[in-house]
Amino acid sequence: MEPANLIQELQQRMPQQRFQHVLRVTETAKSLASMHGESIEAAETAALFHDIAKFMEPEEMRELLIAHQENPLLFEFHKELWHAPAGAIIAREEFGVDREDILNAIRFHTTGRANMSKLEMIIYIADMTEPARNFPGVDELRLYAEGPLDQAMRACITHTVTHLIGKQVPVYPDSIECYNYFVK
Ligand SMILES: [Fe+2]
Ligand SMILES: [Fe+2]
């Protein structure tokens, strides 16, 4: 699909505000990719698709995930987590994205995981630090994002896991494994 058509398609699938977030993540991811010798095109594709399933109806998302034999453990956790694997499925099935690394960057942009690829880290970090993100501690994360990717990722996942623990909500195993991996 031509980039112009993709942009149009994305715009139709989400409110304007979320679409602007997607564009900011894309710019942030492209700049991280150029800093760290990753493909700028891959970063752009992964970032553009990362939230494509964000506004699907939960039931529709659940059916899609079940049809693709996704881990049923997902359904025991907050539906906020579902849009990441659902987005990877949509990118592949509806838009023909076939590069595994791009699909994984979409799939793990919410939870993270152990042993992330460079592209996976770039999308995770870009999503969390894009310029309009505004939460306590984001400025420190932006500073980390100027340095080595693994250190930025460690700071981001520590922030996420700490935040979830502070709210006393369950933490998905991939995020715990991600945290353990990066602090080791
Ligand atoms: Fe997301
Ligand atoms: Fe996002």
Side-chain angles (χ1 to χ4, degrees):
M1 179 176 270
E2 291 298 310
N5 293 343
L6 173 58
I7 297 286
Q8 234 175 22
E9 183 67 32
L10 285 166
Q11 253 175 327
Q12 280 165 10
R13 290 189 190 221
M14 60 188 73
Q16 185 59 16
Q17 215 182 359
R18 176 60 44 168
F19 178 65
Q20 293 302 324
H21 157 77
V22 166
L23 295 182
R24 289 189 298 268
V25 173
T26 303
E27 286 315 303
T28 307
K30 283 165 72 178
S31 105
L32 286 171
S34 81
M35 271 167 67
H36 298 286
E38 179 53 273
S39 155
I40 293 173
E41 210 190 324
E44 180 174 42
T45 304
L48 284 173
F49 280 106
H50 86 281
D51 274 341
I52 193 156
K54 185 95 178 175
F55 293 90
M56 270 175 91
E57 289 300 324
E59 268 322 298
E60 201 189 335
M61 220 174 345
R62 184 198 291 270
E63 278 168 29
L64 182 75
L65 294 168
I66 290 171
H68 288 81
Q69 284 95 39
E70 293 290 336
N71 190 346
L73 184 65
L74 272 172
F75 306 121
E76 293 173 33
F77 284 79
H78 199 280
K79 61 182 188 302
E80 165 63 23
L81 299 185
W82 305 355
H83 78 282
I89 293 167
I90 290 171
R92 190 182 62 220
E93 308 258 300
E94 290 188 40
F95 296 89
V97 174
D98 58 2
R99 191 174 143 180
E100 208 54 39
D101 198 23
I102 294 177
L103 296 171
N104 284 334
I106 301 167
R107 168 175 296 272
F108 295 107
H109 85 265
T110 306
T111 57
R113 66 163 167 171
N115 205 6
M116 294 168 88
S117 72
K118 208 191 262 192
L119 186 63
E120 290 172 38
M121 291 191 280
I122 285 171
I123 299 303
Y124 190 99
I125 295 162
D127 190 31
M128 217 165 154
T129 63
E130 60 93 338
R133 286 289 196 203
N134 180 21
F135 55 83
V138 69
D139 287 332
E140 198 191 347
L141 296 182
R142 288 195 183 108
L143 285 178
Y144 273 107
E146 291 172 13
L149 280 177
D150 56 341
Q151 288 176 29
M153 192 59 219
R154 183 179 63 200
C156 285
I157 193 67
T158 300
H159 186 284
T160 302
V161 170
T162 306
H163 176 72
L164 293 171
I165 289 172
K167 289 201 298 182
Q168 295 191 15
V169 296
V171 182
Y172 196 69
D174 281 346
S175 300
I176 303 275
E177 285 168 20
C178 181
Y179 170 78
N180 288 340
Y181 176 86
F182 282 100
V183 296
K184 262 183 199 159

